[in-house]
Amino acid sequence: MKKIFITLTLIVGLLLGGCTSNAEPTLEGTYQSELQGINYVIQMIFQPEDNSFVEYINNREVDKGTYEKINNVYKIKSELQDFEITLDSNNSFDIIIDKINDGKPIKLDNIDDTPIYNSTKFDDIEKYKELLNKN
């Protein structure tokens, strides 16, 4: 009886271990930073169906464009900026916005695989878009 229990335990362990996924994360859904600098929260939304993205700073839409995957790097392109993203194993990535966080990397974590858009209208969007300018 003890041999049967050990054998069943071993089989179940192998089955469960064999079912784990080693798949690489995919850039999709909603990514968000912690507070950066003077109370800035960065969000990036990625829509894999049309390879589009939207970037928000404090819920203000500041940029949008497209992205493409080349090898394990995602090339982000818009009218305001071009940069690259490499996802880490935790499905997060770093970006740099010179005028936020003293130009140090800002970590964005995947908070949802579903893109979450913000449709609130603000009258100070230009102030936030200015943060993306390299000047």
Side-chain angles (χ1 to χ4, degrees):
M1 184 69 167
K2 187 175 183 181
K3 286 184 179 182
I4 293 174
F5 177 73
I6 291 172
T7 303
L8 286 174
T9 304
L10 182 61
I11 291 171
V12 169
L14 289 172
L15 287 174
L16 290 176
C19 294
T20 59
S21 173
N22 291 332
E24 290 181 21
T26 302
L27 187 66
E28 64 180 319
T30 303
Y31 293 79
Q32 181 173 305
S33 72
E34 298 291 325
L35 287 176
Q36 297 295 324
I38 307 171
N39 297 325
Y40 291 115
V41 174
I42 315 302
Q43 287 181 317
M44 292 192 77
I45 315 307
F46 295 92
Q47 185 66 260
E49 285 79 22
D50 62 0
N51 285 0
S52 65
F53 80 91
V54 178
E55 183 174 4
Y56 297 95
I57 299 176
N58 287 4
N59 294 321
R60 279 96 170 146
E61 182 180 313
V62 294
D63 197 15
K64 61 184 171 181
T66 61
Y67 67 96
E68 67 177 318
K69 183 177 182 183
I70 299 175
N71 298 321
N72 288 330
V73 176
Y74 293 88
K75 304 227 181 239
I76 310 301
K77 295 182 188 259
S78 73
E79 288 184 18
L80 298 177
Q81 52 189 341
D82 292 336
F83 61 94
E84 296 179 349
I85 289 174
T86 303
L87 288 175
D88 64 23
S89 60
N90 295 324
N91 198 10
S92 62
F93 60 88
D94 290 335
I95 63 168
I96 295 175
I97 300 174
D98 292 338
K99 295 180 181 179
I100 299 176
N101 200 31
D102 296 324
K104 296 177 197 152
I106 301 167
K107 185 178 188 93
L108 275 71
D109 296 308
N110 182 268
I111 61 168
D112 201 315
D113 288 338
T114 303
I116 302 169
Y117 296 95
N118 184 348
S119 61
T120 304
K121 302 294 182 202
F122 293 94
D123 60 359
D124 59 353
I125 292 174
E126 291 305 316
K127 173 181 142 185
Y128 288 88
K129 281 185 176 184
E130 191 65 32
L131 293 169
L132 296 180
N133 288 341
K134 300 285 183 187
N135 305 351

